[in-house]
Amino acid sequence: MSADLLDATFAALADPTRRAILNRLAAGEATVTELAEPFAMSQPAVSKHLRVLERAGLVTRGRDAQRRPCRLDARPLREAVAWLADYRDYWAESYARLDEVLAELTAGSRNERPDRREPQ
């Protein structure tokens, strides 16, 4: 995936309205009118969000007689997940190292505890 497309994907995902639109499209295609229903915004405002999603390759529009249904295209999301996977591995390794340090500290503190003796 090109850096420009990855940038466009993350920019599109940065907005909660666009994420909500993608969630809705994951359930199936919808028109702009149908997508605008749950939002307190005009259809032209929803169309602007759709254009951002289209530029990122996340949404395609078809033609069905008078209808222009929008569809989710999840391929850019797969590419973004692949890019993020490198960082998931980094954090997993970091947490594993932290677990080792904590285990060493816990074992060391057990060895340093004085024996509890009964009062005389």
Side-chain angles (χ1 to χ4, degrees):
M1 171 181 259
S2 74
D4 290 341
L5 191 52
L6 188 62
D7 291 347
T9 299
F10 282 117
L13 295 173
D15 185 272
T17 300
R18 291 192 287 267
R19 291 192 306 270
I21 290 170
L22 290 177
N23 284 338
R24 167 54 186 87
L25 292 175
E29 66 182 35
T31 64
V32 175
T33 304
E34 293 167 339
L35 291 171
E37 286 174 3
F39 301 107
M41 66 177 66
S42 66
Q43 287 182 8
V46 171
S47 291
K48 286 182 181 182
H49 284 292
L50 286 169
R51 280 193 291 279
V52 172
L53 292 167
E54 283 181 287
R55 280 194 299 272
L58 293 164
V59 169
T60 61
R61 291 194 204 201
R63 184 173 287 294
D64 180 17
Q66 297 298 320
R67 277 179 37 124
R68 299 237 14 226
C70 301
R71 293 178 187 88
L72 173 67
D73 184 348
R75 285 179 288 181
L77 293 174
R78 189 177 328 127
E79 298 293 332
V81 168
W83 183 83
L84 289 168
D86 292 337
Y87 294 94
R88 181 179 45 224
D89 294 343
Y90 167 80
W91 284 109
E93 291 172 14
S94 296
Y95 287 132
R97 286 192 305 270
L98 181 60
D99 286 342
E100 291 172 9
V101 170
L102 289 173
E104 290 173 13
L105 291 173
T106 303
S109 67
R110 283 189 205 139
N111 293 337
E112 293 175 8
R113 288 185 185 162
D115 292 334
R116 289 194 169 173
R117 298 181 187 186
E118 303 266 333
Q120 296 183 10

